[in-house]
Amino acid sequence: MKKNLLIILTIFAMAFSLLAGCSSDTASTSADGKVEIEFWYGLGGKLGEGVEQAIKEFNESQDEIKVIGVAQGEYDETVQKFQAAVAAKKVPGAVLLQNDPMHAFAQKGVLAPMDSFIDKDSDFNKDDFVDAFFGQGTIDGKQYAIPMYGTTQVMYYRKDIFEKHGISPDSLKTWESVAEIAKTIKEKENIYGWEPMYGPDNLIDAALSKGAKYLSEDGKEVMIDSPEWIETWEFFRKAIHEDKTMAIHHGGQGWEYWYKTIDDVMQGNAAGYTGSSGDQGDLDFSLVAAHPQPGWESHDAAPHAGAMVASIPAMATEAEQEAAFKWLKFFSSAEKTAEWSINTGYIPVRKSAKEVAAYKEFAETNPQISVPLQQAEIATPPFVDPTGGKIYDALEKAADKVEIEGKSAAEALKEAKKEAQRELDKVTRGK
Amino acid sequence: MFYSLYISFTDWDYMSSDYSFVGLGNYFDLFGDPLFYGVLWNTLYFSVGVVVPSVFGGLLLALLLVRKQKGMGFYRTLIFSPWVTPAVAVSIVWSWIYEPQVGLANWLLTSFNLPALEWTSSTTWAMPAVIIVTIWKGLGWCMIFYLNALKKVPQSLYEAASLDGASSMQRFLYITLPLISPTTLFLVIITAVDALQAYDQIQVLTQGGPAGSTRTILYMYYQSAFEQFNMGQATAVATVLVILTASLSLLQFILSRKWVHYQ
């Protein structure tokens, strides 16, 4: 019996040490003199195929660099693998990251600033990038990441149901009138008027559109229990739990709740929903249309829009960094970003993508494609959580209480603020 | 293991080669954090909730199925089958059962005139829901061990006791229970260790929610290590988990001297 326990403890200890060990040799010069670099990305399915296709095109377009794509299951997995790779000092040439981990890596000095490459490259034209996206990679005046594709949440509504009741799409301009529409539709059709997407994101977007702030000016106080936040969240709680004009799907495996929400709208159980720009690949636009997110009567819309960005590890050699930069420049070029947008619905990262012939042509028959881009130009850039995710985590829990359990927004957000403030204090202590 | 203990005294981020020694700082942070007590409570709630019914239920089933009658093999297989099914698959099926509107669980409750529950959507019921799935999965496994143990109890002892006029209850209490106690000890430890490390079913059924009500200590480890790049803090969490596991086992060994009988 004692042996058993010992074995368990040993396995435990081994599991920790193993975490650090997995990585591969990633950068070298191949026999034919090309610089070989790996590009790590956490995408599968159609998106993964898209990346591989772009890599193939890039490799064929020149004969100095060979990019090898390495796919992980999801974004978080890339972060873990990259962490291990840095620890093992065997890094890829470039890596696709979400905003928060990119900031954390940059602040730890793990990423290489790309300014020298950008300055040297006369046809890179950084002013052509959508500001909200490019600015994401700028930290303390240095460029640590280049946006690859953008995403934001927009409104998708059923054209037939709106027409039937004489509702103009213009009434999607304020949340007050969205509530009115939802009420009308509930009364006349007995279906849900609107379905926000599960999780805090939609609630945060709506709060920001009311002028809400995450932190005080000096960055020392968490503001998530201000009246703007509480009124907004209470608005959704009331619609979901009292009026029952809105509903949310939650839980299940992976993206299950997401597709349940989409299904509800496609099958006519709801008149519309708030979803990602990336949903456009799955939607049938003979039935639905897209609209930017509303503001409030007292305030313009300011929802989040963010980009997935790519960075170059500081540990890569000069030659590898240069090669990686060329690859990232290729993938974020107007033509490529337009093509990616057409195929996936994600937002192009360059303003000039609108002028690309293929994009123009596509937008004429598919006007929804330009809605997310339109929204991105007025959007709030992603929030960089100084606590490494604890403020967002507190909001996530509060959203569960409000959306799923119907608890009062004031109560849920006050608790969240307390939790978040404690974490923020830990970070600001001594500064 | 000593190395990971050492890391828990540092602020290492798992990547850079330089880090500083913070002594017990990580532990003070941890024990000063109300969130930690939340996950600690969830972990204990889950572990106790799983271990006790699994072990007792396994014994009960084994007693029912130990007799040599037709069809027993079929029942045994049926009860054991959840154990060999991957936790992820099991949990997906259960997430359908728990569906509040059309799920089987609420259909059963309402057909007995009981109120329907929100199951995984409520902070009160999410944990019991995960516990039920875990018990259901582990019950057959405990049963198999007990079946084996019950068969090893010498028939001669029962016969002698019967001759002395012992009732079936007395035979169970004074012969069966003591003789299968090594199995009980083994099962309690293994299911407890298993419960402390449960992850798959929680991830699929509730993702730690709603509102963090099913987050266990392992979840906190993951968050610190991979979301906040705080390997020092994470190993501190892991060390607490190891100490918890070890002291649990130690406690059982000490207690077992009193009631475990080896033949």
Side-chain angles (χ1 to χ4, degrees):
Chain A
M1 293 300 286
K2 285 223 166 93
K3 223 176 179 179
N4 248 327
L5 183 69
L6 209 66
I7 290 169
I8 291 161
L9 292 179
T10 318
I11 291 172
F12 234 91
M14 271 166 59
F16 292 128
S17 50
L18 270 179
L19 282 171
C22 42
S23 151
S24 57
D25 198 0
T26 52
S28 63
T29 311
S30 69
D32 49 3
K34 283 187 190 175
V35 180
E36 252 179 42
I37 52 158
E38 285 190 3
F39 174 58
W40 289 8
Y41 62 93
L43 295 170
K46 215 175 139 192
L47 299 174
E49 282 164 32
V51 176
E52 288 302 328
Q53 178 61 31
I55 289 176
K56 203 171 147 234
E57 280 170 36
F58 177 69
N59 286 340
E60 283 165 4
S61 73
Q62 41 74 43
D63 48 11
E64 286 162 14
I65 300 160
K66 188 179 172 205
V67 176
I68 302 162
V70 180
Q72 286 88 29
E74 48 174 18
Y75 297 130
D76 291 348
E77 219 178 295
T78 309
V79 172
Q80 287 169 32
K81 290 240 169 82
F82 185 61
Q83 237 180 318
V86 173
K89 301 196 168 54
K90 285 174 182 167
V91 291
V95 56
L96 181 70
L97 294 167
Q98 283 176 304
N99 189 56
D100 271 334
M102 183 271 293
H103 266 262
F105 285 132
Q107 266 147 11
K108 291 187 179 299
V110 172
L111 304 179
M114 296 184 220
D115 303 270
S116 61
F117 299 119
I118 294 172
D119 294 343
K120 260 190 278 174
D121 200 325
S122 54
D123 54 294
F124 182 75
N125 190 10
K126 61 181 179 187
D127 296 331
D128 184 32
F129 281 90
V130 173
D131 301 335
F133 297 158
F134 198 73
Q136 237 179 282
T138 323
I139 303 164
D140 299 332
K142 287 185 186 154
Q143 199 66 25
Y144 285 96
I146 296 177
M148 294 289 110
Y149 53 90
T151 182
T152 191
Q153 300 222 10
V154 297
M155 313 283 275
Y156 296 107
Y157 63 95
R158 283 284 295 251
K159 288 187 281 190
D160 51 345
I161 300 177
F162 270 49
E163 258 166 45
K164 193 173 157 194
H165 300 289
I167 303 166
S168 147
D170 276 349
S171 26
L172 291 171
K173 275 188 180 148
T174 67
W175 279 111
E176 285 89 347
S177 57
V178 172
E180 285 300 312
I181 304 173
K183 214 172 131 198
T184 314
I185 289 169
K186 175 82 187 181
E187 275 165 14
K188 295 197 171 148
E189 294 272 321
N190 198 29
I191 60 172
Y192 292 116
W194 204 262
E195 292 193 356
M197 200 52 85
Y198 166 57
D201 294 355
N202 282 179
L203 301 181
I204 294 172
D205 274 356
L208 294 176
S209 298
K210 207 173 190 142
K213 298 268 175 291
Y214 287 94
L215 301 176
S216 60
E217 287 295 324
D218 61 0
K220 286 193 173 155
E221 200 192 339
V222 182
M223 305 290 285
I224 57 176
D225 63 344
S226 74
E228 293 88 0
W229 283 92
I230 293 175
E231 282 162 26
T232 308
W233 287 39
E234 190 63 22
F235 169 87
F236 285 98
R237 187 200 64 78
K238 189 168 167 281
I240 295 169
H241 292 277
E242 279 175 27
D243 308 341
K244 300 199 190 297
T245 54
M246 294 189 190
I248 56 143
H249 287 282
H250 64 90
Q253 172 69 345
W255 296 108
E256 203 177 316
Y257 70 93
W258 198 284
Y259 288 105
K260 272 189 189 161
T261 310
I262 295 183
D263 285 350
D264 260 6
V265 176
M266 296 320 280
Q267 290 163 5
N269 299 323
Y273 81 103
T274 317
S276 163
S277 47
D279 290 357
Q280 298 201 354
D282 292 317
L283 294 172
D284 174 0
F285 284 96
S286 63
L287 278 176
V288 296
H291 193 278
Q293 269 197 59
W296 296 81
E297 268 159 20
S298 56
H299 206 284
D300 287 336
H304 273 309
M308 298 301 301
V309 297
S311 293
I312 300 173
M315 245 176 235
T317 64
E318 183 73 20
E320 285 162 2
Q321 290 190 5
E322 208 176 326
F325 179 74
K326 281 186 181 148
W327 151 242
L328 297 181
K329 182 185 148 194
F330 176 84
F331 194 76
S332 61
S333 68
E335 291 74 27
K336 278 286 130 205
T337 197
E339 192 184 310
W340 179 264
S341 172
I342 292 168
N343 291 335
T344 64
Y346 282 116
I347 313 171
V349 293
R350 282 178 179 271
K351 294 173 198 158
S352 63
K354 281 184 279 193
E355 312 307 324
V356 173
Y359 188 85
K360 251 183 170 166
E361 200 181 304
F362 188 81
E364 260 167 42
T365 39
N366 302 275
Q368 70 275 1
I369 190 88
S370 47
V371 170
L373 183 56
Q374 215 176 308
Q375 183 167 296
E377 283 169 0
I378 53 122
T380 309
F383 169 59
V384 181
D385 190 337
T387 64
K390 298 266 173 104
I391 296 178
Y392 185 78
D393 194 56
L395 284 169
E396 218 168 8
K397 286 193 230 166
D400 270 1
K401 288 178 197 159
V402 172
E403 288 183 333
I404 302 179
E405 295 201 290
K407 280 195 186 149
S408 114
E411 202 182 302
L413 285 167
K414 288 216 151 75
E415 277 169 42
K417 143 118 197 212
K418 229 171 107 191
E419 195 182 308
Q421 187 65 48
R422 197 181 311 111
E423 296 298 332
L424 184 66
D425 288 345
K426 271 193 214 168
V427 181
T428 50
R429 206 189 295 154
K431 267 188 195 166
Chain B
M1 198 167 138
F2 291 108
Y3 183 54
S4 83
L5 187 66
Y6 173 70
I7 294 172
S8 74
F9 296 126
T10 69
D11 64 355
W12 191 41
D13 62 10
Y14 189 41
M15 293 178 293
S16 24
S17 45
D18 52 329
Y19 53 82
S20 44
F21 193 76
V22 295
L24 286 172
N26 285 326
Y27 292 91
F28 283 130
D29 268 357
L30 203 57
F31 288 108
D33 186 352
L35 289 180
F36 173 69
Y37 295 100
V39 296
L40 201 63
W41 162 248
N42 287 342
T43 310
L44 289 179
Y45 179 10
F46 179 77
S47 303
V48 174
V50 166
V51 172
V52 176
S54 298
V55 174
F56 279 103
L59 176 59
L60 206 70
L61 284 172
L63 288 170
L64 287 174
L65 296 178
V66 74
R67 280 164 294 162
K68 283 200 178 72
Q69 271 173 20
K70 227 179 157 190
M72 285 303 175
F74 172 71
Y75 290 122
R76 284 177 208 159
T77 317
L78 193 72
I79 293 169
F80 186 65
S81 58
W83 177 258
V84 288
T85 325
V88 173
V90 164
S91 313
I92 291 175
V93 173
W94 275 88
S95 66
W96 295 335
I97 295 178
Y98 286 139
E99 216 291 319
Q101 259 99 53
V102 292
L104 185 67
N106 274 349
W107 180 79
L108 273 177
L109 283 179
T110 43
S111 54
F112 285 107
N113 283 326
L114 292 166
L117 297 174
E118 285 292 313
W119 294 110
T120 51
S121 321
S122 105
T123 41
T124 321
W125 289 105
M127 190 56 106
V130 180
I131 289 176
I132 290 172
V133 178
T134 316
I135 295 172
W136 174 79
K137 186 164 160 48
L139 211 53
W141 190 74
C142 292
M143 174 193 75
I144 294 286
F145 277 88
Y146 273 128
L147 277 175
N148 194 32
L150 287 173
K151 279 186 193 147
K152 281 190 182 147
V153 179
Q155 282 303 313
S156 56
L157 283 176
Y158 288 124
E159 283 156 17
S162 300
L163 287 177
D164 290 339
S167 70
S168 58
M169 195 50 169
Q170 282 169 325
R171 272 179 286 164
F172 176 71
L173 283 179
Y174 297 112
I175 300 173
T176 316
L177 266 192
L179 286 179
I180 60 168
S181 58
T183 307
T184 309
L185 175 69
F186 168 76
L187 287 176
V188 168
I189 293 179
I190 298 296
T191 43
V193 171
D194 226 32
L196 284 175
Q197 295 169 31
Y199 185 75
D200 289 359
Q201 62 270 51
I202 298 178
Q203 187 54 33
V204 174
L205 283 166
T206 62
Q207 296 89 42
S213 60
T214 54
R215 285 183 190 177
T216 58
I217 202 166
L218 214 59
Y219 185 90
M220 198 168 184
Y221 167 75
Y222 179 88
Q223 261 196 327
S224 310
F226 299 114
E227 285 178 13
Q228 282 134 27
F229 303 100
N230 196 339
M231 198 43 89
Q233 178 85 76
T235 42
V237 173
T239 307
V240 172
L241 184 59
V242 170
I243 292 171
L244 212 66
T245 316
S247 51
L248 201 71
S249 310
L250 194 70
L251 187 75
Q252 281 157 352
F253 275 112
I254 294 167
L255 289 176
S256 69
R257 294 227 176 104
K258 292 205 166 111
W259 51 266
V260 175
H261 298 258
Y262 294 95
Q263 273 177 283

